[in-house]
Amino acid sequence: MFSRRDNLRAAASLAGAAVAAKAGFAVPAASPARNGFASPITPVADAPFQVPPLGYRYDALEPYIDATTMTIHHDRHHGSYVAALNGLVEKYPELSTTPVTALLADLSVVPEALRAPVRNNLGGHWNHSFFWALMVPGGTKEPAGELKSAIDQSFGSKANFIEKLNAAGLGRFGSGWAWLVVDKNGKLDIFSTANQDTPLEKGARRVVLGVDVWEHAYYLKYQNKRADYLAAWWNTVNWDQAAANFAKTPS
Ligand code: MN3
């Protein structure tokens, strides 16, 4: 799938992204050549919405998440949300000028006829952009600093926390996500959202961690065994990114 040149390019971008992720910087804007793939959805250079690059290779999360799943998930699923958003901008220009998080926190400002597609596609874009940045090859093993203390205080231990978040993901009937957030009272909370609904809509002050439990995130490798996918997924978590999400000043 990759030429040698693409592999070298991907390796170089991986090194840069790892440094950026460690420092808690946002993932840079998409460059389709950078990941060395031909996307089925042709990116438009000046389109208002772009799929952010993974920051690591498609096979970098193996054996936990396979390269084919990552490729389809990132390029096609996320790509389709972005393509739909760029189409929606023509009908609703404010979509490209209003901060994404503000719109998702209060979808009532979106004209009613466009609210469902904005909820689904802007939610899908935000959720997946968050998700790619939350994973890193090899994981970073352990929460650190204030996030570790907060998890221990709220859930007793990291193991108990993981059990509760997995239960939220397993309990989601159909498609959705499981989240760790800082709620409006400043407390850690775990819940699940359906479809591409975001935790922002539920009033989360900060979103710390989240996992995609749509079948498209795991079916090729794990089939119907969502529990096995969830157990494996923890090996990919970038706890440094989660800690940065936790520490972020509320906007
Ligand atoms: Mn997904």
Side-chain angles (χ1 to χ4, degrees):
M1 178 188 285
F2 294 96
S3 69
R4 186 164 176 276
R5 180 181 294 178
D6 286 336
N7 281 333
L8 291 172
R9 189 187 288 140
S13 78
L14 169 60
V19 171
K22 204 157 195 162
F25 295 134
V27 177
S31 161
R34 180 173 165 166
N35 278 340
F37 64 84
S39 172
I41 295 177
T42 308
V44 180
D46 59 350
F49 292 95
Q50 302 280 338
V51 180
L54 280 178
Y56 40 81
R57 287 172 43 139
Y58 295 105
D59 62 359
L61 303 180
E62 291 198 358
Y64 310 112
I65 306 181
D66 61 286
T68 307
T69 296
M70 287 301 288
T71 307
I72 295 171
H73 198 178
H74 179 268
D75 297 5
R76 298 193 201 167
H77 288 278
H78 194 165
S80 72
Y81 303 129
V82 164
L85 286 172
N86 288 327
L88 282 164
V89 170
E90 291 166 27
K91 298 179 193 162
Y92 179 49
E94 292 89 338
L95 187 57
S96 65
T97 55
T98 312
V100 169
T101 51
L103 273 179
L104 288 171
D106 184 11
L107 286 159
S108 71
V109 302
V110 180
E112 200 176 346
L114 299 175
R115 202 169 299 153
V118 169
R119 176 194 299 276
N120 292 334
N121 293 294
L122 196 62
H125 179 43
W126 191 90
N127 287 340
H128 286 87
S129 300
F130 179 91
F131 187 55
W132 309 134
L134 187 68
M135 297 185 287
V136 70
T140 52
K141 312 303 178 201
E142 294 295 330
E146 289 179 20
L147 177 57
K148 179 180 166 34
S149 309
I151 284 174
D152 288 345
Q153 202 169 20
S154 299
F155 307 110
S157 67
K158 180 191 167 199
N160 283 346
F161 157 64
I162 287 176
E163 198 176 309
K164 284 195 163 68
L165 198 116
N166 285 351
L170 284 169
R172 166 53 52 195
F173 184 80
S175 299
W177 294 75
W179 301 102
L180 173 70
V181 307
V182 177
D183 70 14
K184 59 182 186 300
N185 300 315
K187 302 280 186 202
L188 284 182
D189 190 20
I190 289 171
F191 58 77
S192 168
T193 55
N195 304 314
Q196 295 299 355
D197 293 356
T198 71
L200 305 169
E201 191 185 341
K202 311 287 178 201
R205 191 186 287 174
R206 298 197 296 286
V207 185
V208 180
L209 180 148
V211 59
D212 190 343
V213 296
W214 283 57
E215 282 187 346
H216 68 223
Y218 62 87
Y219 204 84
L220 293 179
K221 185 175 172 74
Y222 297 96
Q223 295 84 46
N224 59 318
K225 293 173 282 188
R226 188 185 288 180
D228 289 1
Y229 156 69
L230 282 169
W233 177 76
W234 290 100
N235 293 293
T236 72
V237 170
N238 185 345
W239 285 102
D240 294 342
Q241 182 64 50
N245 296 338
F246 177 70
K248 199 161 58 181
T249 307
S251 53

